[in-house]
Amino acid sequence: MASQHDTLIRYITMLQLIPRAPHFKATTTLRDLLAERGFQVNLRSIQRDLDKMSLYFPLQCNDQSRPYRWSFDANYKSNLPALDTATALTLVLAEEYLKSLLPQIAIDRLSAQFEGARKLLNGLQENGYANWPHQVRAIPNGKALLPAVILPAIWQGVSDALLERHAIEVQYLSRQQEEVKSFTLHPQGLVVRHSVSYLLATVNDYDDVRQFALHRIQALSASAVPYNNQLNFSVEKYIAEGAFGYPLAEQATELVAKIDKAMAWLLAETPISQQQVLSKPDANGWVTLTATVPNDQQTQWWILGFGARIQVLKPSSWREAIIEQTQQMRELYESTELKTNSANT
């Protein structure tokens, strides 16, 4: 006869196997999974156990057909519901994607969740999932640089200061002056852009918000200076105003351009903005793109990345800037080629 200890362990194991709604586990599935974990129990006992536990946990039973199907309430907050395969794959993809964006110290904070997803999928190898590590990948759009390395103490210190609203003293490597400087920073926000994490903070006694790359903070300590709280500061508004986009003007602009068929397909599925219109292809297969976009250098660089697949018609200032840029590139390559040919003769 099973001891109370064994019964308790079986109850806990069973709860861990039941997912949140809309996912479910049938009693027959629970019986097989329990058997794999060393618990030999019949269907009637499992049903009786679940009925008992539903008095204390938000368990839901679909008894419209046999075998009965069980799940946790969708809003139940707990670590007990088991991962389903779709959620596990989502976590694996999230880890793959975040590795190209977040510093390793941030990824490490989620390692338990990611490891749990991998263990679940590894445990299903006998059921046809043996090749799952070779079947899922998340790749960034464009060339992604490796995330800048951030010291664990810096990440922790910045996180604490931001959430607890207190000032910090930092030793910061200035890129412009190439020297280490001392600042009193008042954290207002945190932004991850491409492979670099930025602390948004006011400096010393000033109220304007500046950007500080976390990997350039070489030392950090709590400050005794009273915290300068910018009550009206919004990270969303700060970004929308072009802080990270190298704005050329405050107002958005209308982009009109001729694009090829492949690029038209891309933008039809993933628009460049909410205000976008694509025309029917002309006689030569070109599509006219009309879209309201930020008037910034980021958008111009995005356009340049498509090369001869896009021809900007408006705004005229962008068209002229792109023509000038391509002329400079041509001159650079032609001069390099001349020097190379001279050296070889």
Side-chain angles (χ1 to χ4, degrees):
M1 183 176 180
S3 67
Q4 290 185 348
H5 177 268
D6 292 339
T7 301
L8 176 61
I9 297 301
R10 187 178 80 243
Y11 283 178
I12 293 174
T13 303
M14 195 180 307
L15 288 171
Q16 290 175 328
L17 292 171
I18 301 173
R20 290 188 184 90
H23 307 289
F24 59 85
K25 285 286 194 304
T27 50
T28 51
T29 303
L30 290 172
R31 178 197 59 193
D32 295 341
L33 292 174
L34 286 170
E36 291 177 4
R37 289 158 176 77
F39 299 99
Q40 301 299 327
V41 59
N42 58 43
L43 288 177
R44 186 173 181 179
S45 296
I46 291 175
Q47 187 64 46
R48 185 170 57 249
D49 291 343
L50 290 169
D51 288 335
K52 290 179 181 178
M53 289 189 290
S54 65
L55 299 174
Y56 305 96
F57 294 93
L59 293 172
Q60 300 174 344
C61 177
N62 182 345
D63 57 3
Q64 299 302 308
S65 62
R66 292 182 181 275
Y68 291 171
R69 300 174 178 183
W70 288 84
S71 61
F72 273 92
D73 183 274
N75 296 318
Y76 182 51
K77 305 300 183 184
S78 171
N79 291 326
L80 283 174
L83 283 174
D84 56 273
T85 53
T87 302
L89 282 174
T90 301
L91 282 171
V92 169
L93 288 171
E95 182 184 23
E96 288 271 337
Y97 182 73
L98 292 175
K99 279 181 177 179
S100 66
L101 295 175
L102 295 178
Q104 186 60 45
I105 181 61
I107 298 297
D108 290 343
R109 297 302 177 94
L110 298 172
S111 60
Q113 287 82 354
F114 294 145
E115 182 63 23
R118 287 193 296 271
K119 282 184 177 180
L120 171 67
L121 296 176
N122 287 334
L124 297 174
Q125 288 188 4
E126 294 181 358
N127 297 327
Y129 286 81
N131 293 323
W132 78 263
H134 307 292
Q135 295 174 322
V136 293
R137 282 293 183 274
I139 59 176
N141 184 17
K143 177 61 180 175
L145 304 178
L146 295 176
V149 177
I150 301 172
L151 297 174
I154 301 301
W155 181 266
Q156 184 68 54
V158 168
S159 300
D160 291 344
L162 178 63
L163 297 177
E164 297 172 8
R165 317 301 281 174
H166 66 74
I168 52 178
E169 304 292 340
V170 303
Q171 298 291 313
Y172 187 78
L173 176 61
S174 172
R175 187 177 67 175
Q176 286 78 16
Q177 300 183 14
E178 297 183 354
E179 62 178 342
V180 177
K181 290 192 170 185
S182 299
F183 296 116
T184 300
L185 301 184
H186 303 264
Q188 308 296 328
L190 186 65
V191 172
V192 177
R193 180 174 179 270
H194 301 314
S195 302
V196 179
S197 300
Y198 294 92
L199 172 64
L200 308 182
T202 58
V203 185
N204 300 333
D205 297 327
Y206 298 98
D207 290 332
D208 59 308
V209 175
R210 295 169 55 188
Q211 303 168 15
F212 295 86
L214 263 62
H215 65 277
R216 296 197 195 107
I217 299 179
Q218 300 188 349
L220 177 152
S221 61
S223 175
V225 175
Y227 177 67
N228 180 12
N229 191 5
Q230 300 293 309
L231 295 176
N232 296 324
F233 177 75
S234 164
V235 174
E236 183 177 0
K237 181 180 178 182
Y238 182 79
I239 296 172
E241 291 174 347
F244 287 91
Y246 306 97
L248 302 174
E250 292 185 5
Q251 299 297 323
T253 189
E254 184 180 65
L255 169 65
V256 181
K258 294 287 188 180
I259 59 178
D260 68 7
K261 185 177 180 180
M263 188 174 176
W265 268 102
L266 171 67
L267 294 183
E269 297 175 336
T270 54
I272 188 175
S273 76
Q274 296 290 341
Q275 298 79 37
Q276 171 184 289
V277 177
L278 296 172
S279 73
K280 296 292 184 180
D282 62 18
N284 297 316
W286 290 91
V287 174
T288 300
L289 162 70
T290 304
T292 301
V293 297
N295 192 356
D296 59 16
Q297 290 182 342
Q298 286 288 328
T299 309
Q300 289 191 18
W301 295 340
W302 175 82
I303 290 171
L304 284 168
F306 286 96
R309 295 170 58 188
I310 180 171
Q311 179 187 7
V312 172
L313 305 178
K314 294 180 181 179
S316 58
S317 58
W318 286 25
R319 181 180 175 87
E320 293 168 1
I322 291 172
I323 291 173
E324 181 181 357
Q325 180 76 9
T326 54
Q327 287 177 341
Q328 291 176 357
M329 292 174 62
R330 180 172 182 174
E331 292 172 0
L332 175 63
Y333 279 97
E334 287 179 344
S335 63
T336 305
E337 185 177 359
L338 288 173
K339 292 179 181 179
T340 302
N341 291 338
S342 298
N344 293 333
T345 56

